[in-house]
Amino acid sequence: MNCLKTRSGLLLAFLLFPFAILAQKPTIKYGNVRMEELMMPVYTPDSTANAVVLADVGYTYVNSTINSFNLVHERHCRIKIFNKAALDEATVAIMYDDETITQIKGSTYLLENGKMVEFKLDSKAIFDEKVNARYRKKKFTLPNVKEGAVIEFSYTIRSDSFTFFKEWEFQSKYPVLWSEYTARVPQQYDYRIESQGYNSFFVSEKKEETGGTLYHWVMKDVPAFEDDQYITTADDYISKVKFQLKGVQYPGSFYKPVLSDWEKVTKVIYEDDGFTSSIYQTGFLKDKIKQITAKHTDPVSKSFALTLFLKNAVKWNGLNRMFPAQSPKILLEKKTGSSADINLLLVGMLRDAGLPANPVILSTRKNGRVNEYYPMIDNFNYVIASVRIDSTDLLLDATDPYRPAYLLPERCLNSKGRLIEENRVGRWINLENYLVFASKAANISLSINNGKVSGTATVYEKDYSAANTRAQLAEANSKDDYVKGKYKVAGLTITDYSLENLENIDTTMVTQLSFEYDAEDTPGILYINPILFNSFNGNAFKAKHRTYPVSYPTLTDLKTTVTVAVPPGYAIEELPKPAKYNLSEDGAKFTYLIGQVGDKIQLRSIISFNKTMFLADEYEGLKAFYAAVSAKLTEQIVLKKINN
Amino acid sequence: MNKKYLLFLTLIGLIINQLAYAGDEKKYPVKDIPVELKKDADVVVRLNATTFKIANKGSAKMISHVVITILNHNGDDWAENVSSYDRLHPLRAFKGALYDSVGNVIRKLKSSEIQDYKANDGVTLYDDNRVKVASLAYNIYPYTVEFEEETEYVGLISYPGWAGYSGYRASVQKSSYSIIAPQAIQVRYKEFNLTNPVKKEQVEGNTSYTWEAVNLPALKREPFSPQIREQGPYVVCGAVDISYEGYEGKMDSWNAFGEWINYLNQGRDQLPETVKAKVHELTDGVKDPIEKAKVLYEYLQKNTRYISVQLGIGGFQTFDANYVATRGYGDCKALSNYLKSLLKEAGVNANAAWIFGGRTPNTVYPDFTTDPFNHVVLAIPTEKQTYWVECTSQNDPFNYMGSFTGNRYALMFSAEGGKLIKTPTYSAADNLLARVAKVKFDLTGQATAAVDVKYNCIRQDELSYMNATNSKGEIEKYLYKTIDIPSMQLKSFGHQVNKESKPTLTEHLELEFANYFNISGKRIFFQPNLFNRLTSLPEKLDKRRTEIVFNNATTDEDHIVFEIPAGYSMESKPNDVSLKTEFGEFSTSVKLENNQLIYTRKLIRNEGRFAPEKYNALVEFLTAIAKSDKAKVVLVTTNNPVVTN
């Protein structure tokens, strides 16, 4: 595998600063709108675009005066509106926290009687609102925006904090003709810079200058960013550059590393006030921990017992967090808390029980990928516990009472996490477990009597499959509602059912069903669709093409066996043909076997996904696989009455 | 959209009574819940007591006290209390406590736990609506939460009403509502489904009106049912005197209420000279007033857009015409007022009208004046008929009110006062979707289809809106998502809108698909209903409780011609169906002519309210449709199969 590719197949860091390109466009000046921009009828490379960003120019630099030292970010954006569908682009909202926003300017330019007319944003039409305890928002909308208008706006953000240098997105919902970012980084501050996306730079240069370093990037003719289904998050794929403070060197003093490498990042997290507080405040639980672990001798069952205790003692409030917000005492009193509240307490309890436990920080699937090559603190948003047992790491999460202790929630299954030991040393560990599947096996048997099909089914669910079913059952209003909803087939009536091992989360869940339905028939002929309760969604992929990889949270294994008793007086007229499909060297596999044994027809279908990530160039194949499998699963058995 | 809506929703069916947290005594123990209230319930509303205390005709206080026992984790949402407030409705108190099942206090809500957010409706650029939110969710069931809050009303228009039920799977042990008003202030009310009518008492110079319900069993949601509040006892209330930010008026009739709205919004129609000149330039050559209105509506649509800013007078008063003229934007009030001003300049009389915008309209009682509105449109009355326009849309046809504002009452107001008028209604024949498709396929299962669809009136609303506001790529994605055919490729598509007052959108699609025709050996199986299958059926109920409600009447027509490969004959075909019920009509037919298999389907759905006991007949009707929709044709060849897969 190419070293520039991550597992997601995403081209990373498309060679930052390999060479400076001299060809440059003059910087766009506010108010200097050109007639051809106003008269532009359409954006030729993408004639369906409702708007195009003519220029988006950002500049970040340090402004020092006698009594202040500020990071200043200026942005100037000009957009051409082709039709009414893009009028919303004239409304801008800027979210901010400990920053000040000044110099908001905005204008609309229209062509009226062959002349350019400018309408300025009225300062009274700029609103400021408090969003919540931390953030505020500046909002404004530009006047007189119509089809054909060119709009532009600019603003300046000042900040005292140098930790997060403003990032820059080169791509938007509409195509971008020119996106340019200039960053003047003072020599005292050393930033780690990461760029991502599928588009290449037109200019990418770096120049040492008095007092610091100048970075300059331009992208030209960037296509509109399209969101896709089955990606972790759009944030992982949009073209952008981001910064993180790596070190500080004030004149006359030594270089002070801040977040220069993973060791530093790890240490900063570990030493953050809140992070370890939950781990070390477990004294009041001493007796409880003894009592829970007393029954167990081996470390695995001790770990599981403590995890189970917390799962039942505290309810997860749905918040993905890395830093705790409440002390263990309050957590156990309130009985509800975030992932950090719960799992960091778990680490503390495991340690108190004498187990070598550590926290593992990670990024949930919705939060996006963690890039191993770029130590960035804000990549993480979640924490779980781990216990070193022999030479393996047992990963534990106590937020979900419906899954066994050894099974992490799907949201956590996002490539790698960073384990932090008590001595602040960290290392990477794989979060995805290639031995555990979402597996489901169904045994169905059908018999036909007087045009009525009656049957039984036994469905076995393991691991992820069972965890999800148990969680859904807990959510459902009643078992009845759940079973009738999940095993809903038009025209089919469930006459009886039972659920086994529902409470015992460590075991295989078993669902037994009895059902009946009217056979499809025509005089003398019966048509039987043998695969009932098919949970495989053959139409999952409908888009024509795909830019991003398809990422499943878990591996999958679906087995169905069907036995059909041929009713007396009937003979097999036609059976579906056996089939075998294979994609990406067993990445996805389908086997369909069918045959007659005595007066019975036996069928076996196995669908398995043996990897979780399919790259964009495997998409065509994946789509065809889905279609072919679902077509096979609807094939019919034809039985004919014997004339005698 | 104006902000009255938010208040209306939050105040209905809420709560209260002051009470201090008493010492050690056990409160609200779960053992006090009658067993029948636990049936089908996730929560039991132990107490929901609200008092609306009117000080004078311009100010009041809403005091609410709610106690809810949460029986299982599906009820956890009820452990969260959300209180909205703004400048004219400041929140004066917000307290909470959590109890275990025995009735011991586990903890009290700390002020640091109350979060304060901007209330965001997703469309408004600026207003001052905010919410305070706190949750007492716990994980040992059952548990009980208690919330008390007090909201001040600065200015009074309508008085809040009350409903026994505010959610499904929630039984109610006791719910009460009192309005306490000085004797000089009249209170109007209209009662529905009450077991006990209002209790009136005189206390210290005040009159109190109290409604109460006890032991209401939990309700399960039923398909196609009326709003939850109508499924139990409820009361709508109203003021006689309005006093709001210095604007006084009456609300004892629709006429008076309209007069007050007009008073609030009058004199805001001065246009800049340039715009006046533009109006004359555009309309002086046009004779017919309606033609003038069409010209000016088009001018409005081209030159303005919808931007909602709510400042002053609680969001009830429009910005003046000059505001829209200079900025090119406004909200529903301002844009309606602007077009009204343009029309006035052209000598055409038009009036703004308050209306409820949304697919399921709020109830308007012709004999009882309330304020169930959240939107404004413009009405142009003539001797023969009233014309309607939606001023916030850049695309809607003149005199078309679709599923958002059609088929309901609006309150038109002018100097003559208010008048309730019904907006246009579209019949089943109007709301037509007619599809004609030609399908060809070969023995490898590869198929093509040429499809022409006509969408009329409310059937075109969604696609018309998409065409006006989305990129071609987004529309293509939408088509991929909504057309349920396996392995489909959209070769081309096109839409055309005909903006009549009964608008039509025509769609042409060229499709390629595979895996639809199931070719096994010498047979071909397929469903002739390629596009329009009813797949989800409402569950059967032993005893239906509520009326069945259908808000719109529609017609669907499908005509699909399949070209059949040579040498195949029909072995089995779905039965032709012809059904006629009070819910609608359904018919299908399949016939083979030469090498063409022709499938036709027609479904008419009626609108209306139907008695609960008709429910099983409805399910039967829908089941018959679903069964027919999924029925298959089986073709068989006498030749040896040439292709295997």
Side-chain angles (χ1 to χ4, degrees):
Chain A
M1 186 172 274
N2 187 325
C3 65
L4 280 176
K5 274 190 168 181
T6 63
R7 282 195 50 253
S8 64
L10 177 63
L11 262 178
L12 283 176
F14 19 77
L15 301 171
L16 284 170
F17 333 116
F19 41 86
I21 296 168
L22 297 170
Q24 282 188 32
K25 249 171 117 172
T27 308
I28 282 132
K29 250 179 87 183
Y30 191 94
N32 206 359
V33 172
R34 288 169 301 136
M35 213 51 181
E36 63 251 44
E37 290 176 326
L38 267 182
M39 292 168 69
M40 188 178 185
V42 69
Y43 175 60
T44 325
D46 177 1
S47 60
T48 65
N50 295 321
V52 62
V53 177
L54 297 167
D56 198 359
V57 179
Y59 178 31
T60 305
Y61 59 96
V62 170
N63 180 44
S64 53
T65 61
I66 299 167
N67 40 21
S68 78
F69 198 52
N70 276 332
L71 203 50
V72 183
H73 174 75
E74 294 174 359
R75 181 176 175 217
H76 173 206
C77 182
R78 185 181 293 170
I79 300 168
K80 169 74 185 181
I81 308 274
F82 292 120
N83 59 46
K84 289 168 181 169
L87 292 180
D88 284 349
E89 286 306 290
T91 300
V92 181
I94 314 159
M95 194 87 118
Y96 67 102
D97 52 3
D98 287 334
E99 296 162 315
T100 52
I101 300 191
T102 55
Q103 288 159 280
I104 298 178
K105 276 207 290 186
S107 296
T108 302
Y109 304 88
L110 296 175
L111 195 61
E112 283 186 358
N113 305 319
K115 276 199 244 133
M116 189 188 303
V117 190
E118 180 184 356
F119 298 92
K120 289 197 169 122
L121 172 67
D122 179 354
S123 62
K124 286 200 293 271
I126 302 170
F127 300 102
D128 186 82
E129 76 184 22
K130 189 179 167 189
V131 177
N132 55 33
R134 180 161 172 202
Y135 291 104
R136 300 187 68 87
K137 216 187 230 177
K138 288 263 187 226
K139 286 163 118 183
F140 59 87
T141 192
L142 300 171
N144 292 318
V145 182
K146 302 169 193 180
E147 286 187 354
V150 169
I151 56 170
E152 73 178 337
F153 56 86
S154 67
Y155 57 83
T156 302
I157 305 179
R158 280 164 208 277
S159 162
D160 292 336
S161 163
F162 284 77
T163 314
F164 296 103
F165 204 90
K166 282 280 170 221
E167 60 178 36
W168 188 256
E169 285 183 1
F170 294 90
Q171 219 173 355
S172 97
K173 165 174 177 206
Y174 297 109
V176 180
L177 281 189
W178 182 266
S179 181
E180 175 176 4
Y181 193 40
T182 308
R184 276 213 142 83
V185 177
Q187 61 193 10
Q188 299 93 308
Y189 296 96
D190 181 16
Y191 290 96
R192 157 132 7 245
I193 301 169
E194 182 192 350
S195 65
Q196 65 166 41
Y198 284 82
N199 299 289
S200 48
F201 286 117
F202 175 62
V203 175
S204 171
E205 51 188 3
K206 178 185 180 182
K207 211 164 67 193
E208 297 306 327
E209 56 180 18
T210 334
T213 311
L214 176 94
Y215 297 91
H216 182 214
W217 296 280
V218 178
M219 277 193 194
K220 236 178 84 162
D221 304 321
V222 194
F225 181 78
E226 279 187 65
D227 213 347
D228 236 331
Q229 273 184 308
Y230 299 95
I231 55 175
T232 42
T233 163
D235 238 19
D236 277 0
Y237 301 97
I238 199 159
S239 290
K240 69 172 171 190
V241 288
K242 45 185 189 178
F243 298 76
Q244 181 178 272
L245 190 60
K246 185 158 85 152
V248 183
Q249 179 159 38
Y250 293 108
S253 38
F254 290 109
Y255 180 81
K256 215 166 70 195
V258 182
L259 299 165
S260 54
D261 50 29
W262 280 114
E263 281 60 50
K264 295 274 171 347
V265 170
T266 311
K267 196 161 171 255
V268 163
I269 292 171
Y270 203 81
E271 287 172 359
D272 186 284
D273 274 355
F275 192 75
T276 50
S277 59
S278 295
I279 303 181
Y280 295 119
Q281 292 175 18
T282 55
F284 73 104
L285 286 168
K286 279 242 143 52
D287 295 341
K288 189 88 215 166
I289 294 169
K290 268 201 194 110
Q291 182 202 328
I292 296 166
T293 53
K295 290 172 263 184
H296 305 280
T297 48
D298 68 298
V300 175
S301 36
K302 276 186 190 174
S303 304
F304 285 176
L306 287 169
T307 309
L308 187 68
F309 163 75
L310 263 190
K311 279 184 178 188
N312 293 327
V314 182
K315 186 171 58 186
W316 180 47
N317 61 12
L319 296 176
N320 299 326
R321 291 287 181 272
M322 179 165 75
F323 292 102
Q326 357 179 23
S327 73
K329 238 192 184 133
I330 295 198
L331 177 70
L332 286 174
E333 191 187 300
K334 278 201 189 173
K335 298 192 179 301
T336 151
S338 74
S339 58
D341 294 333
I342 296 170
N343 289 333
L344 287 171
L345 172 59
L346 176 60
V347 173
M349 292 176 71
L350 290 161
R351 282 187 184 170
D352 274 359
L355 297 162
N358 289 304
V360 176
I361 53 172
L362 58 88
S363 168
T364 55
R365 290 173 63 82
K366 283 252 152 53
N367 192 55
R369 160 183 58 95
V370 166
N371 187 339
E372 273 177 69
Y373 305 103
Y374 292 90
M376 295 257 177
I377 208 165
D378 60 336
N379 277 339
F380 299 101
N381 70 328
Y382 199 94
V383 61
I384 57 172
S386 72
V387 180
R388 187 79 178 163
I389 295 169
D390 300 325
S391 58
T392 59
D393 297 295
L394 179 67
L395 301 180
L396 300 164
D397 173 279
T399 61
D400 181 353
Y402 304 111
R403 59 184 65 224
Y406 64 86
L407 216 56
L408 290 181
E410 276 89 332
R411 62 179 169 275
C412 297
L413 304 177
N414 193 12
S415 71
K416 286 184 175 174
R418 182 91 183 155
L419 184 148
I420 314 179
E421 288 173 10
E422 211 169 351
N423 58 10
R424 324 293 192 252
V425 173
R427 62 189 161 87
W428 291 109
I429 50 172
N430 269 325
L431 298 168
E432 286 160 43
N433 183 339
Y434 296 111
L435 298 174
V436 185
F437 283 72
S439 63
K440 190 166 161 180
N443 293 340
I444 300 172
S445 97
L446 304 174
S447 59
I448 304 124
N449 206 340
N450 289 331
K452 259 213 158 22
V453 181
S454 53
T456 58
T458 311
V459 181
Y460 302 91
E461 288 172 290
K462 271 176 74 179
D463 295 333
Y464 285 108
S465 201
N468 291 334
T469 297
R470 287 189 178 106
Q472 285 160 12
L473 263 161
E475 294 287 316
N477 290 330
S478 69
K479 287 179 186 169
D480 228 54
D481 280 7
Y482 176 78
V483 171
K484 290 192 172 145
K486 178 147 176 174
Y487 296 97
K488 195 171 182 177
V489 172
L492 179 144
T493 317
I494 293 173
T495 50
D496 196 16
Y497 70 89
S498 71
L499 299 165
E500 290 159 33
N501 297 343
L502 181 54
E503 309 295 333
N504 192 352
I505 55 170
D506 290 326
T507 55
T508 299
M509 215 192 116
V510 186
T511 308
Q512 308 238 38
L513 303 169
S514 308
F515 53 86
E516 55 185 37
Y517 62 95
D518 291 333
E520 283 180 58
D521 59 354
T522 200
I525 301 179
L526 283 170
Y527 309 105
I528 312 288
N529 177 8
I531 309 266
L532 296 159
F533 318 122
N534 171 19
S535 55
F536 185 77
N537 177 9
N539 238 352
F541 296 105
K542 294 172 104 183
K544 220 185 320 189
H545 51 79
R546 190 175 171 102
T547 323
Y548 317 114
V550 173
S551 156
Y552 297 101
T554 63
L555 307 175
T556 305
D557 183 42
L558 301 168
K559 288 193 183 78
T560 309
T561 55
V562 186
T563 309
V564 182
V566 178
Y570 279 83
I572 297 171
E573 161 80 3
E574 229 176 346
L575 287 183
K577 302 263 178 309
K580 217 170 208 172
Y581 308 138
N582 206 323
L583 177 70
S584 304
E585 293 155 11
D586 283 352
K589 221 170 132 176
F590 173 65
T591 315
Y592 184 96
L593 298 168
I594 188 163
Q596 187 178 6
V597 183
D599 62 350
K600 294 206 163 70
I601 300 164
Q602 295 204 318
L603 190 166
R604 189 170 169 80
S605 141
I606 305 171
I607 305 167
S608 56
F609 287 87
N610 303 308
K611 61 179 194 174
T612 54
M613 181 82 78
F614 290 82
L615 301 183
D617 57 16
E618 294 173 293
Y619 178 68
E620 272 300 310
L622 189 64
K623 195 172 143 186
F625 178 83
Y626 267 73
V629 170
S630 77
K632 200 73 205 167
L633 295 183
T634 57
E635 285 194 11
Q636 312 257 336
I637 293 169
V638 184
L639 303 176
K640 204 168 185 175
K641 206 161 198 159
I642 308 161
N643 300 319
N644 45 4
Chain B
M1 211 149 294
N2 72 42
K3 73 194 297 184
K4 293 171 288 122
Y5 180 41
L6 189 67
L7 290 171
F8 181 73
L9 279 189
T10 38
L11 297 182
I12 277 188
L14 276 190
I15 351 187
I16 318 232
N17 216 328
Q18 311 95 303
L19 152 154
Y21 295 109
D24 288 338
E25 116 200 49
K26 307 263 187 277
K27 284 165 89 183
Y28 321 116
V30 169
K31 66 172 170 45
D32 291 356
I33 301 174
V35 80
E36 63 275 15
L37 292 190
K38 291 186 183 168
K39 190 172 176 280
D40 296 329
D42 295 325
V43 301
V44 181
V45 177
R46 311 293 297 278
L47 177 68
N48 182 351
T50 303
T51 304
F52 190 68
K53 196 165 186 318
I54 301 167
N56 53 55
K57 62 183 176 182
S59 75
K61 208 184 260 177
M62 172 92 126
I63 305 149
S64 91
H65 180 201
V66 203
V67 181
I68 300 166
T69 294
I70 285 123
L71 301 174
N72 62 56
H73 73 151
N74 290 326
D76 281 345
D77 286 351
W78 293 74
E80 183 175 81
N81 193 53
V82 179
S83 306
S84 3
Y85 69 98
D86 60 22
R87 182 176 64 92
L88 297 175
H89 302 86
L91 196 60
R92 294 299 182 209
F94 188 133
K95 287 199 284 184
L98 171 68
Y99 301 86
D100 67 14
S101 60
V102 185
N104 298 312
V105 180
I106 299 170
R107 64 192 186 88
K108 287 181 183 168
L109 188 69
K110 292 195 202 93
S111 57
S112 61
E113 289 179 74
I114 302 171
Q115 290 183 299
D116 184 284
Y117 297 110
K118 176 73 191 78
N120 195 340
D121 62 6
V123 293
T124 296
L125 179 70
Y126 184 79
D127 64 25
D128 69 343
N129 296 337
R130 300 194 67 84
V131 286
K132 284 195 190 290
V133 183
S135 172
L136 286 167
Y138 199 54
N139 82 336
I140 296 174
Y141 302 94
Y143 63 87
T144 300
V145 296
E146 177 179 37
F147 289 105
E148 291 170 87
E149 60 177 35
E150 221 179 284
T151 308
E152 218 172 289
Y153 279 52
V154 182
L156 282 178
I157 302 176
S158 198
Y159 302 153
W162 167 79
Y165 284 109
S166 50
Y168 291 101
R169 304 191 58 82
S171 58
V172 179
Q173 207 170 356
K174 184 179 171 185
S175 174
S176 70
Y177 178 55
S178 298
I179 296 183
I180 301 172
Q183 261 142 15
I185 292 191
Q186 279 174 271
V187 174
R188 297 179 301 115
Y189 54 86
K190 188 174 170 75
E191 300 170 329
F192 300 85
N193 312 331
L194 289 192
T195 343
N196 302 312
V198 67
K199 200 169 86 196
K200 265 199 226 178
E201 281 172 322
Q202 303 295 328
V203 195
E204 296 162 11
N206 287 322
T207 310
S208 78
Y209 307 76
T210 302
W211 293 271
E212 190 180 282
V214 292
N215 295 336
L216 302 175
L219 302 181
K220 281 202 206 172
R221 183 192 291 276
E222 297 181 334
F224 322 115
S225 54
Q227 294 179 15
I228 174 90
R229 56 190 296 268
E230 290 179 26
Q231 297 181 27
Y234 69 104
V235 178
V236 286
C237 298
V240 169
D241 292 301
I242 298 176
S243 175
Y244 203 77
E245 298 258 84
Y247 288 84
E248 308 220 330
K250 295 272 181 201
M251 203 179 162
D252 50 354
S253 68
W254 287 110
N255 186 273
F257 187 36
E259 200 177 313
W260 179 78
I261 301 169
N262 188 64
Y263 164 51
L264 194 65
N265 288 291
Q266 70 191 356
R268 302 184 155 254
D269 52 5
Q270 285 82 18
L271 293 166
E273 290 306 320
T274 47
V275 176
K276 282 187 186 170
K278 189 80 198 172
V279 169
H280 291 290
E281 179 196 321
L282 289 171
T283 60
D284 282 357
V286 183
K287 260 233 164 98
D288 181 57
I290 292 308
E291 290 307 313
K292 285 182 192 231
K294 282 183 186 167
V295 169
L296 290 174
Y297 182 53
E298 199 186 316
Y299 174 76
L300 176 90
Q301 290 185 311
K302 270 207 179 125
N303 290 284
T304 63
R305 66 198 160 108
Y306 174 75
I307 292 286
S308 158
V309 172
Q310 306 301 334
L311 294 170
I313 322 291
F316 288 96
Q317 192 173 54
T318 177
F319 282 112
D320 60 19
N322 193 51
Y323 173 97
V324 178
T326 51
R327 294 169 188 245
Y329 60 73
D331 70 349
C332 54
K333 298 186 289 293
L335 293 170
S336 299
N337 177 62
Y338 183 58
L339 181 57
K340 174 182 146 85
S341 312
L342 296 176
L343 288 167
K344 187 180 168 195
E345 184 63 30
V348 181
N349 176 44
N351 300 314
W354 281 13
I355 196 167
F356 180 87
R359 276 180 187 267
T360 316
N362 267 339
T363 312
V364 171
Y365 310 97
D367 62 344
F368 190 86
T369 310
T370 55
D371 179 11
F373 308 117
N374 65 353
H375 187 49
V376 181
V377 293
L378 194 69
I380 305 163
T382 65
E383 266 179 32
K384 269 200 241 136
Q385 69 168 104
T386 300
Y387 294 82
W388 298 87
V389 280
E390 170 61 66
C391 297
T392 65
S393 162
Q394 279 103 27
N395 306 288
D396 279 4
F398 183 83
N399 196 31
Y400 173 65
M401 302 263 103
S403 41
F404 190 68
T405 46
N407 194 14
R408 69 197 67 188
Y409 279 114
L411 177 62
M412 183 178 88
F413 58 90
S414 66
E416 280 95 64
K419 202 172 159 193
L420 279 187
I421 310 182
K422 203 112 186 240
T423 58
T425 302
Y426 305 97
S427 67
D430 289 330
N431 295 325
L432 170 72
L433 187 159
R435 183 185 287 108
V436 176
K438 280 210 165 65
V439 184
K440 291 180 188 169
F441 64 98
D442 64 22
L443 292 177
T444 66
Q446 287 296 322
T448 59
V451 191
D452 287 288
V453 194
K454 219 163 80 176
Y455 300 85
N456 286 356
C457 293
I458 67 164
R459 305 304 288 278
Q460 57 92 57
D461 286 359
E462 191 171 0
L463 265 173
S464 263
Y465 182 75
M466 285 209 72
N467 268 281
T469 56
N470 288 279
S471 68
K472 195 152 186 205
E474 285 164 322
I475 296 167
E476 185 181 42
K477 270 191 193 166
Y478 170 85
L479 292 171
Y480 269 103
K481 215 169 75 187
T482 49
I483 303 175
D484 187 21
I485 296 178
S487 313
M488 181 194 78
Q489 294 292 324
L490 204 48
K491 284 305 180 194
S492 71
F493 69 92
H495 290 123
Q496 212 160 3
V497 189
N498 172 8
K499 289 194 186 183
E500 293 298 313
S501 63
K502 285 184 180 173
T504 300
L505 180 140
T506 50
E507 175 180 71
H508 181 79
L509 307 170
E510 295 282 342
L511 309 177
E512 264 181 33
F513 54 103
N515 299 312
Y516 186 79
F517 298 92
N518 190 332
I519 298 154
S520 347
K522 50 185 182 176
R523 286 182 176 76
I524 302 174
F525 299 83
F526 69 96
Q527 296 171 323
N529 185 355
L530 179 56
F531 295 98
N532 203 351
R533 292 186 288 271
L534 177 73
T535 49
S536 83
L537 286 174
E539 57 172 336
K540 282 194 181 130
L541 298 173
D542 293 338
K543 196 177 179 329
R544 167 88 180 192
R545 197 169 36 78
T546 58
E547 279 190 323
I548 303 156
V549 183
F550 290 114
N551 284 322
N552 289 305
T554 57
T555 302
D556 287 68
E557 287 173 8
D558 284 78
H559 183 91
I560 304 179
V561 180
F562 297 87
E563 245 173 62
I564 302 299
Y568 278 82
S569 60
M570 194 143 60
E571 180 176 74
S572 165
K573 80 173 191 82
N575 296 327
D576 289 355
V577 179
S578 176
L579 293 171
K580 201 171 169 174
T581 73
E582 59 187 305
F583 305 104
E585 295 168 30
F586 179 68
S587 59
T588 62
S589 75
V590 179
K591 57 186 175 205
L592 189 63
E593 285 174 3
N594 303 320
N595 68 332
Q596 290 195 326
L597 186 130
I598 300 160
Y599 171 76
T600 59
R601 176 186 189 269
K602 182 170 183 178
L603 172 62
I604 299 172
R605 307 273 309 246
N606 297 335
E607 70 173 309
R609 287 177 93 110
F610 304 90
E613 49 287 4
K614 305 272 171 76
Y615 182 70
N616 283 341
L618 171 68
V619 175
E620 258 172 53
F621 178 56
L622 297 175
T623 307
I625 297 170
K627 192 178 172 199
S628 163
D629 283 350
K630 73 175 188 103
K632 281 181 178 151
V633 164
V634 183
L635 302 177
V636 66
T637 178
T638 43
N639 306 333
N640 284 327
V642 281
V643 177
T644 53
N645 61 336

